[in-house]
């Protein structure tokens, strides 16, 4: 079975671990979000690609969900001694090696997709991990400068800050007025992305951030159309449970794009043109009827990724729903 998964960081990576446990023989292609990428100290950092790679390659810091296990922080301490900014983004020594190798290869002319493949040769994630695009896309967030503590005498002045500054430095505590994936209009899908979508048997949206992870991937010209045209069913799992994100602060960026923080609203945001099926948490059973009324097959099951077995059960439910969609399509054809 050929499965394509659109993934952000922690939620996507943990879901993939369950999917691999549920379908060990499957041929899985992961289209990774690169809108969270940031250039720091001259290095290109790809947080979501690395979280998928480290998680599936058994190198992740399990407690944090990001970064390397058994990490040390000598470089960060030395940089602080020099007074070098920014200090709010945590890069450990082991993690630095990944960014140095990536940056060195990119400086030598290799595209990000080739570099990612080379990094994965070490980590053996057991999936084909492709960035959504080889072109540089970096998500920015429009905020009020007064809320940043700048320019207090000029209320109403806004500027765009990098997504990581908004998310990691400010913990999404300043109002996001708009989410702007800079560079996306000119970005092309990375080699292999459109073919994987066209040839897939099943396409899954894990419980990743619908705005800044999956939403950014969908914004790369050509990817959304390929998904709509794909013969494979598209099934998603809600990242919102009981009106709140399972983890993180996705509610803040949903608000910025005018979408309510609910399993129903996120399903409608993706829409029936894109989604064939949607899984909501058992506590959101009352979401099933409105999602189905919107034209998307829906079921309520436990959606907490507490361990690999619970996550594998979610993956199996998504694959079962995809099979139902396919059977219904064949019966109707
Ligand atoms: C930004 C992040 O997205 P994810 O990596 O979970 O898709 C989150 O919502 O915590």
């Amino acid at each position: 079975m050929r499965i394509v998964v659109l993934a952000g960081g922690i939620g996507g990576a943990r879901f993939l671990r369950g999917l691999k446990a549920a379908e060990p023989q499957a041929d899985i292609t992961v289209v990774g979000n690169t809108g969270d990428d940031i250039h720091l100290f001259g290095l290109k950092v790809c947080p979501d690609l690395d979280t998928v790679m480290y998680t599936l390659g058994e190198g992740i810091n399990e407690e944090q969900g990001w970064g390397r296990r058994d990490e040390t922080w000598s470089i960060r301490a030395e940089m602080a001694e020099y007074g070098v900014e920014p200090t709010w983004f945590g890069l450990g020594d082991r993690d630095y090696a990944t960014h140095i190798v990536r940056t060195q290869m990119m400086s030598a002319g290799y595209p990000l997709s080739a570099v990612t493949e080379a990094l994965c040769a070490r980590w053996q994630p057991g999936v084909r991990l492709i960035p959504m695009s080889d072109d540089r896309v970096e998500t920015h967030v429009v905020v009020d400068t007064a809320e940043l503590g700048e320019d207090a005498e000029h209320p109403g002045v806004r500027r765009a800050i990098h997504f990581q500054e908004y998310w990691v430095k400010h913990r999404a505590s300043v109002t996001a007025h708009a989410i702007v994936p800079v560079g996306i209009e000119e970005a092309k899908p990375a080699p292999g992305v459109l073919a994987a979508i066209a040839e897939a048997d099943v396409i899954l949206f894990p419980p990743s951030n619908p705005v800044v992870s999956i939403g950014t991937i969908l914004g790369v010209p050509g990817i959304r159309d390929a998904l709509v045209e794909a013969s494979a069913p598209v099934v998603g799992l809600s990242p919102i449970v009981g009106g709140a994100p399972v983890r993180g602060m996705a509610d803040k960026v949903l608000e910025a794009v005018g979408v309510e923080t609910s399993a129903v609203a996120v399903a409608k945001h993706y829409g029936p043109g894109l989604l064939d099926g949607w899984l909501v948490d058992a506590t959101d059973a009352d979401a099933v009827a409105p999602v189905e009324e919107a034209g998307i097959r829906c079921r309520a099951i436990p959606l907490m990724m507490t361990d690999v077995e619970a996550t594998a059960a979610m993956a199996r439910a998504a694959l079962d729903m995809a099979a139902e969609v396919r059977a219904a399509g064949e019966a109707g054809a």
Side-chain angles (χ1 to χ4, degrees), residues 46-127:
C46 300
D48 284 359
L49 294 180
D50 290 349
T51 295
V52 170
M53 186 173 78
Y54 294 156
T55 301
L56 300 183
E58 306 298 334
I60 198 80
N61 177 323
E62 293 287 345
E63 291 74 47
Q64 276 177 177
W66 55 271
R68 290 291 312 281
R69 74 160 54 130
D70 304 324
E71 190 56 285
T72 55
W73 301 90
S74 302
I75 300 177
R76 186 171 71 175
E78 289 294 315
M79 303 285 263
E81 292 295 331
Y82 285 110
V84 176
E85 294 286 339
T87 51
W88 45 263
F89 199 87
L91 295 178
D93 302 335
R94 291 175 189 271
D95 200 19
Y96 261 109
T98 303
H99 313 313
I100 292 169
V101 174
R102 174 185 292 121
T103 307
Q104 188 183 32
M105 286 188 72
M106 292 186 77
S107 307
Y110 290 95
L112 181 62
S113 51
V115 176
T116 304
E117 196 180 331
L119 295 172
C120 285
R122 170 183 177 192
W123 291 101
Q124 295 291 315
V127 300

Side-chain angles (χ1 to χ4, degrees), residues 7-12 36 48 163 167 207-210 212-214 247-250:
I10 302 174
D36 291 17
D48 284 359
F163 172 71
W167 200 255
S208 291
N209 191 306
V212 295
S213 297
I214 295 183
R247 186 197 54 75
M249 306 160 288

Side-chain angles (χ1 to χ4, degrees), residues 266-306:
V266 174
K268 289 184 177 168
H269 174 62
Y270 286 133
L274 193 60
L275 275 187
D276 298 298
W278 187 240
L279 293 174
V280 299
D281 186 68
T283 59
D284 288 319
D286 58 354
V288 172
V291 172
E292 294 215 317
E293 271 157 35
I296 301 164
R297 185 179 290 256
C298 186
R299 181 157 313 137
I301 60 152
L303 283 190
M304 289 295 166
M305 298 194 283
T306 42

Side-chain angles (χ1 to χ4, degrees), residues 175-176 211 250-261:
T175 313
V211 181
D251 50 324
K252 300 294 195 317
V253 285
L254 280 165
E255 201 179 317
V257 298
V259 176
E260 190 194 304
T261 304

